[in-house]
Structure formats: C-alpha cells, structure tokens
Amino acid sequence: MGQTSTPCALSTSAHDKDAGGALVTHWEGTVEGADKGSLHGLTFVAKDNLAVKGVRTGAGNPTWLSTHPLPEEASNPAVQALLTAGATLVGKAEMDELAFSLNGQNVHYGTPLNAADAARIPGGSSSGSCTAVAVGFCDFSLGTDTAGSVRVPASYQGLYGIRTTHGRCSLEGCVPLAPSFDSLGWFARDAKLMCQIGDVLLADTSPNPRHFKRCIVGTDAFALANESTREALLGLISRDDNNSSIHALLCDLSGSPEDVQLAPGGMQGWKEVFRVLQMADIWHALGGWITENEPKFGADVDGRFKMSKEIDRNTTKVNECKQTKSAIVERMINLLAMDAEGADSPAVLLVPTTPAPAPLIDTPANELDDFRQRAFSLTCMASLAGLPQVNIPAATVDGAPVGLGLIGPRGTDEHLLALAVELSAAM
C-alpha cells in the first residue's frame, strides 16, 4: 500500500503551501540541506520539541515558548544529520502540549488535519509531523515517540512510521517528556524512503546483526482491537487466498505465523505499570518547570500532569512497578529472541498499532480518554521494553486507515524497515 515518493516542490516560501495546520507560526523559515547527499532534493519538517539551530523551540505550549526566548545554539543530531545528507528543513511541526497526549489536539494552537479523514482526530503527539507528510507538504518528517506518538498518528493517517530502539538515536536537544521511554521516530508515505532515512539516522549506531527467523502474532494484543479492525488485520496475516503474497512472505520467516499470548496476566497490568512509571518519569523531567512557571494547559493535559505529580510522590507504587517492569522486559526480550525450545531464533511480532481507526473529532472527552487507554495497552509493549516498532498502513476500516505494527528485538530497526518494504510491495 506504499505510495511512490517523489520530491515535494519547494516554493519560495514553504508556508505558501497548505500544510493542513501542521506547522508552528513562531518560525516560518527554511534551512537548506547540503548540495549533495543521499537525501538531496527531499524536504522534511521537525517536531517542535527538537532543536533547530537559530530557531526557538515551543514544544506545543506558549508558556514553554515564552520561558525559552533564546534561539537554539545547535540542532538535534538527527536534524543535523538529515541536513548534512542533503534534505531541506521546511518547517517545524505543531504537537500536543509537551508531547503529553495521543490525540493530536492542542487547545492553544488547534488541531492539524487528519489527511485520511478530516472528521477524525489526527493522532499525537507528533500530530503536525504526521499531517505535513500525509497532505504532501513535505517528503518526510521527524517526530518523537514515548507511548505511541509516532505509531498512533501513522496508523490514523495511513503512513509508515517508526519508533526506534530506545537510546539508539540521540535525543540531545529535545524537550523531554519521559526520558526512560522517549525515542526518535519518523514518518513517510513510502516504505523505501523510510529505509533511506534509516540509512542516515542509524548509520553510526549499533545494529542487531541477527535477521528474523520467526513471525509471531500477539493474540491478546489483537483481542484489544475492535472486531472489524482485528478481522481486517488478521485477514492479511493468515489468509492465503487473495493475499497469498503477504501470507507467503510471512511464512518464509518461520513456516507459518505463530500465535502467542504476550501477557499471561493480562495486558491491562502491563498498561498500568507503564502508566505509573511514565508519569513518575514525566514529573521528574518537567515538574520543576511546571511548579516554577504555572503554565496553562488544556484540561486533559493539565489533569495528567497533576496525576504525574501525585504518582511521583507514591514511591512504594513506583518501586513495585519498576520490579514488575523488569519481568515484562525479560518476557518480551525472550519471546523475540528464542523459540519455544529455547533456541536462538529472532522473531518479528505482529500487533495492531491501534484498536481501531482514529476516533471522530467530536467524540466526547471521556470516550476519547477510554480509547486512549486501550491504545496505551497496545503501545506500552515496545515502550516498556525499549523495542523498535514500525507501523505499516495495512487496511481500511469504516473508510479510514488502520495500521499493522511490526515489533522486533532491540537494534533490529533496519530489519523492520526492510520487512516493511517487502510487505508494502506485497500489498
């Protein structure tokens, strides 16, 4: 289902072209890339929590912008690497406040367009980064992913997106949310371009040399999806009639995709562990600034920050969750590293990226939060274990896209991107 990527035309002013509400208004410039390189002629935007030399960082909140009045002295390493590879930066992208949401709605700056269905939320927190690519404003974009902030909008808008192995790509010059879980990511309309970007951003890091030998299907993860989404995605994986090339490709890894229960004690328990640890980490990272500056947040984000403060005080609960996290990480690493007999056999895990297509914009707040919690249960697996995950636009449900998530062992980012290319060709 990948689209062929051709360079987007760069007008005299990048902001002359409609970007679907994806761009910040406090900077309307461009930064030209090198005059040669593997990405020369391509354009990108960067999420507004990533530093760009000479530009102020707003992080989706006007108080953050006003309390950080000086332009950045250096660019985030990923931004700089892309410029060095020849890509041109044509804007900074709007985001949810301090990246603390999956919806893509910002009370201060508005809601970027969901290019797949304007009646639905765009997904966040890398909302503007996703929308700018989906509407064709630029060729690709940078985002960050803590609890799904690249994976979720990619699923909602029908793009390829990656959350990289935690710690593999530098987040120097990035406004933190929860540093124990924050990871770099990027979006593109084409799987091959995703690989090209990976060649640049993963080049000086440590890859996992082992290729996938198995394909496993997380049955309890699929149970969290709506019936129509579950049927659409499992149909791609298991049927060998109309989708024989996809089924055959997956079978090449292991003979046949293998069903596995990921969390014998229930995915809700994993989600709760992640919620507690993420929120404690958030207050450690941002609590001092919030206490000092008393910023105005949207009601939903404000409530989460207040909850983060309370959770951070509950050291007993936090320490219990840290112990449980260790067991979850061990479980995920072993599932992806060894077969049932304990033999070394790296696997790719298939899960729904989100429970369903993007909710409608006018969905009541309480229902949106319920949906967010379900999405958390799916995204927390990779986040807790620091694993890479790629979203591929795999199916359409109720006229809107839904994504299939590919999760691999730590350091297998390149292998996941290569598999996404193969699957996109099969689709």
Side-chain angles (χ1 to χ4, degrees):
M1 293 183 68
Q3 304 173 37
T4 301
S5 178
T6 56
C8 296
L10 181 60
S11 60
T12 304
S13 169
H15 288 248
D16 289 344
K17 187 176 179 181
D18 181 18
L23 303 183
V24 302
T25 57
H26 64 263
W27 182 67
E28 297 187 355
T30 63
V31 181
E32 294 289 336
D35 58 8
K36 60 181 179 179
S38 61
L39 301 178
H40 180 66
L42 298 178
T43 57
F44 75 104
V45 301
K47 188 175 180 177
D48 196 30
N49 60 351
L50 295 168
V52 174
K53 184 178 180 180
V55 180
R56 296 166 66 199
T57 300
N61 181 269
T63 306
W64 186 274
L65 184 65
S66 66
T67 57
H68 296 79
L70 298 179
E72 301 286 354
E73 295 183 358
S75 293
N76 164 265
V79 172
Q80 186 56 54
L82 295 170
L83 293 169
T84 301
T88 291
L89 179 72
V90 293
K92 295 204 76 181
E94 286 292 5
M95 56 182 282
D96 296 55
E97 294 185 81
L98 296 173
F100 203 2
S101 177
L102 291 178
N103 292 338
Q105 298 166 306
N106 188 309
V107 70
H108 306 288
Y109 302 123
T111 302
L113 175 73
N114 182 323
D117 186 340
R120 299 177 185 270
I121 62 174
S125 64
S126 304
S127 51
S129 296
C130 186
T131 293
V133 175
V135 300
F137 174 77
C138 57
D139 297 298
F140 66 94
S141 63
L142 285 178
T144 57
D145 186 307
T146 303
S149 290
V150 168
R151 293 166 283 168
V152 168
S155 179
Y156 287 174
Q157 298 199 49
L159 294 184
Y160 293 88
I162 183 172
R163 168 203 165 83
T164 55
T165 299
H166 183 257
R168 189 160 179 202
C169 294
S170 173
L171 286 180
E172 180 182 355
C174 177
V175 179
L177 178 63
S180 300
F181 306 105
D182 296 344
S183 291
L184 188 76
W186 57 89
F187 300 90
R189 297 182 298 275
D190 175 54
K192 291 182 179 179
L193 179 55
M194 292 289 292
C195 286
Q196 286 181 259
I197 300 162
D199 289 341
V200 172
L201 298 183
L202 301 170
D204 297 326
T205 61
S206 300
N208 186 328
R210 301 182 303 163
H211 291 269
F212 302 130
K213 295 181 180 179
R214 294 178 296 132
C215 174
I216 58 179
V217 178
T219 55
D220 41 355
F222 274 95
L224 292 170
N226 289 0
E227 182 178 2
S228 53
T229 297
R230 181 167 60 250
E231 289 180 353
L233 295 178
L234 286 177
L236 287 173
I237 297 166
S238 59
R239 285 205 313 267
D240 58 359
D241 43 26
N242 295 329
N243 299 290
S244 57
S245 55
I246 297 172
H247 184 78
L249 192 158
L250 295 174
C251 286
D252 283 344
L253 294 175
S254 62
S256 182
E258 172 190 356
D259 289 347
V260 172
Q261 183 181 19
L262 302 173
M267 299 295 294
Q268 286 292 106
W270 287 20
K271 182 201 75 173
E272 178 62 12
V273 168
F274 178 74
R275 185 186 72 88
V276 169
L277 295 181
Q278 182 205 28
M279 286 196 163
D281 208 23
I282 286 169
W283 193 254
H284 273 281
L286 296 170
W289 176 81
I290 292 172
T291 300
E292 179 181 354
N293 294 282
E294 299 182 345
K296 292 183 178 180
F297 294 121
D300 56 339
V301 175
D302 185 59
R304 288 182 208 124
F305 276 120
K306 288 177 179 176
M307 180 62 71
S308 295
K309 182 178 181 179
E310 292 302 313
I311 286 177
D312 185 56
R313 291 173 173 171
N314 190 344
T315 55
T316 300
K317 179 70 171 176
V318 171
N319 288 333
E320 288 174 353
C321 286
K322 285 180 179 178
Q323 293 179 2
T324 306
K325 179 198 171 189
S326 297
I328 294 170
V329 172
E330 182 179 9
R331 167 73 173 165
M332 288 297 295
I333 289 176
N334 288 340
L335 274 175
L336 295 175
M338 299 178 290
D339 63 20
E341 284 71 43
D344 180 72
S345 183
V348 59
L349 166 65
L350 307 183
V351 298
T353 303
T354 57
L360 297 173
I361 288 177
D362 59 1
T363 301
N366 63 321
E367 293 181 25
L368 265 183
D369 190 63
D370 288 344
F371 190 89
R372 177 177 174 273
Q373 295 303 319
R374 290 174 60 204
F376 250 36
S377 295
L378 291 172
T379 60
C380 72
M381 293 174 282
S383 296
L384 279 168
L387 304 173
Q389 180 173 346
V390 169
N391 176 75
I392 62 172
T396 300
V397 173
D398 297 331
V402 290
L404 179 66
L406 315 177
I407 300 176
R410 292 174 181 171
T412 59
D413 311 61
E414 296 95 334
H415 302 327
L416 289 176
L417 291 170
L419 180 58
V421 171
E422 294 185 74
L423 289 171
S424 70
M427 293 177 188

